[in-house]
Amino acid sequence: MLGIGERNGITPLGGLMARMIVADREYVTGKYKLHKLKAIEDLVADAVEINIPFNNYITGFCAFTHKAGIHAKAILNNPSTYEIINPADFGMSRYVHFASRLTGWNAIKSRAEQLGVEMTDEQLKMVTIKIKALADVRQIAIDDADSIIRSFHWNLHNKEEKPLLPSMNAEELKKFKAAEAEIAGEKEKRELDATVDEQADVPISKKQKV
């Protein structure tokens, strides 16, 4: 269990179950109570006073966490793109991390839908730039990203404009504006490059990178 006390190469239980379910999911899910794995590992970890490694098989908090924009989009469209194991088989959940510099607008769209906020794709892309910009200024939490999404949506439908994140001080606001302009510029450059390639009938995949 968790590799504790192991010296001779015996596979930890979580790793063994992960490998077995890939080989024969129907057999493994029918024979073993996989949803108990997390509880057993937590029990053992508490008993020996250690933390479960963040990258532990199946039960580590990073096991089913997805972050980068293209990666997150693929997971939202079809989880099997990046997950050979269904986290639900082990009573686990996947998490698309959207409060980061690497987030993409598809992840923000998914979060907005969870919050009951309706926006067009173009508006979602605009608010994504703001979230990415804030992540350039400081480490942000889910609440920060949610506040930006809600405030941005409110500002779209009201004459009075309120701050996206009231807790930002003057120095952070200055850095935020600079980061926002930089990220928006990167987006405009990519769109311009794509337009030029299309007009020149050059496939983007074959474009030479400088």
Side-chain angles (χ1 to χ4, degrees):
M1 184 65 64
L2 299 173
I4 297 170
E6 171 48 37
R7 296 180 297 169
N8 299 313
I10 299 174
T11 306
L13 180 60
L16 177 61
M17 290 294 100
R19 182 64 188 90
M20 288 177 65
I21 199 170
V22 171
D24 192 335
R25 179 180 177 275
E26 185 176 350
Y27 171 78
V28 174
T29 54
K31 184 176 179 62
Y32 300 101
K33 298 177 181 179
L34 301 178
H35 64 281
K36 291 185 176 293
L37 178 64
K38 180 70 166 65
I40 293 172
E41 290 190 343
D42 285 342
L43 179 65
V44 173
D46 288 343
V48 297
E49 298 181 350
I50 66 168
N51 294 319
I52 293 178
F54 72 92
N55 59 347
N56 193 51
Y57 311 94
I58 307 297
T59 58
F61 77 84
C62 283
F64 298 104
T65 296
H66 308 279
K67 189 172 184 179
I70 295 176
H71 188 155
K73 178 182 179 181
I75 282 292
L76 291 168
N77 289 337
N78 182 6
S80 64
T81 316
Y82 281 97
E83 290 178 351
I84 195 171
I85 295 172
N86 185 347
D89 287 339
F90 291 85
M92 304 295 291
S93 301
R94 76 176 52 89
Y95 171 61
V96 176
H97 183 51
F98 60 91
S100 82
R101 176 64 166 82
L102 298 178
T103 194
W105 74 272
N106 286 280
I108 300 304
K109 179 179 181 179
S110 175
R111 183 57 177 175
E113 290 173 350
Q114 291 174 359
L115 296 173
V117 173
E118 294 185 10
M119 288 188 278
T120 66
D121 287 352
E122 191 57 36
Q123 290 167 345
L124 286 163
K125 291 174 183 178
M126 291 170 63
V127 76
T128 298
I129 289 175
K130 296 181 183 298
I131 291 172
K132 291 165 74 75
L134 181 60
D136 263 358
V137 174
R138 71 184 195 199
Q139 186 173 355
I140 62 175
I142 294 175
D143 287 347
D144 294 326
D146 287 351
S147 176
I148 291 177
I149 293 170
R150 288 194 175 100
S151 296
F152 183 84
H153 180 260
W154 193 91
N155 290 340
L156 288 174
H157 300 282
N158 293 274
K159 294 181 180 180
E160 180 185 355
E161 182 145 335
K162 66 178 181 179
L164 296 178
L165 203 63
S167 61
M168 275 197 292
N169 58 41
E171 183 63 23
E172 287 177 333
L173 184 58
K174 181 179 177 181
K175 292 180 179 178
F176 171 78
K177 292 293 184 183
E180 184 179 12
E182 180 182 351
I183 295 169
E186 292 172 357
K187 177 177 178 291
E188 290 172 2
K189 183 179 183 302
R190 288 195 298 271
E191 291 175 346
L192 179 61
D193 287 345
T195 301
V196 171
D197 285 340
E198 184 178 348
Q199 291 173 348
D201 197 27
V202 178
I204 293 177
S205 60
K206 294 184 178 179
K207 181 182 176 184
Q208 295 294 323
K209 293 185 178 180
V210 180

